[in-house]
Amino acid sequence: MSQEIWINLPVKDVQRSTAFFNEIGFHADSVGGERAKLAIGQTTILLFPAAVFEKFTGAKTADTSHSAEVIFSIGANSREEVDAFIQKAEAAGGSIFGRPSETDGWMYGAAFADLDGHRWNLLYMDESKMPKG
């Protein structure tokens, strides 16, 4: 069995979401006009219009203004990368719900919601300070 995972994500406006993700530094391309492919490292996320997503899942999409269905966590290489990325997300129209901060003395991260309310966070983990054991 293939070990690839494709994440399917409903969006209100595929073109607008594609532009947002490109603006924050991801690589997104239109696929077949009605959807887009978003590449983040080795992960592929497919952006679908909400109506198309609902059709093939047989379920309504979550109302992200009142609930969270998932949070996408992305590893960062430094605290500075977290800071720069979260600034790009905010400038592109994302909503910051977790300003850059340190947790437990070894994790540094920040979090934002994209144009459709899907939640993302960027996290730098300083392995030299990570608890052993």
Side-chain angles (χ1 to χ4, degrees):
M1 177 187 335
S2 174
Q3 297 300 309
E4 290 182 78
I5 294 176
W6 300 312
I7 299 167
N8 299 295
L9 195 63
V11 297
K12 295 175 186 89
D13 183 327
V14 172
Q15 290 180 351
R16 193 167 163 239
S17 292
T18 300
F20 171 81
F21 287 116
N22 280 321
E23 193 171 330
I24 66 173
F26 295 157
H27 180 74
D29 288 317
S30 179
V31 178
E34 137 171 310
R35 67 194 95 177
K37 178 180 176 182
L38 173 61
I40 305 170
Q42 302 272 335
T43 303
T44 299
I45 297 176
L46 301 172
L47 306 177
F48 287 91
V52 172
F53 183 86
E54 289 176 353
K55 184 176 180 182
F56 73 76
T57 62
K60 296 296 260 176
T61 58
D63 180 352
T64 57
S65 67
H66 299 292
S67 61
E69 75 279 84
V70 68
I71 188 165
F72 298 98
S73 297
I74 302 168
N77 293 316
S78 68
R79 295 169 71 105
E80 294 78 19
E81 185 178 0
V82 170
D83 293 341
F85 189 90
I86 207 70
Q87 288 173 357
K88 283 195 285 187
E90 188 169 35
S95 301
I96 309 307
F97 66 88
R99 294 278 169 201
S101 63
E102 187 174 285
T103 304
D104 297 332
W106 59 277
M107 291 183 289
Y108 184 80
F112 71 97
D114 65 25
L115 302 179
D116 292 283
H118 303 295
R119 293 176 178 267
W120 302 77
N121 73 340
L122 202 66
L123 185 62
Y124 167 66
M125 293 181 274
D126 186 340
E127 293 183 19
S128 70
K129 295 179 181 177
M130 191 179 290
K132 308 292 184 234

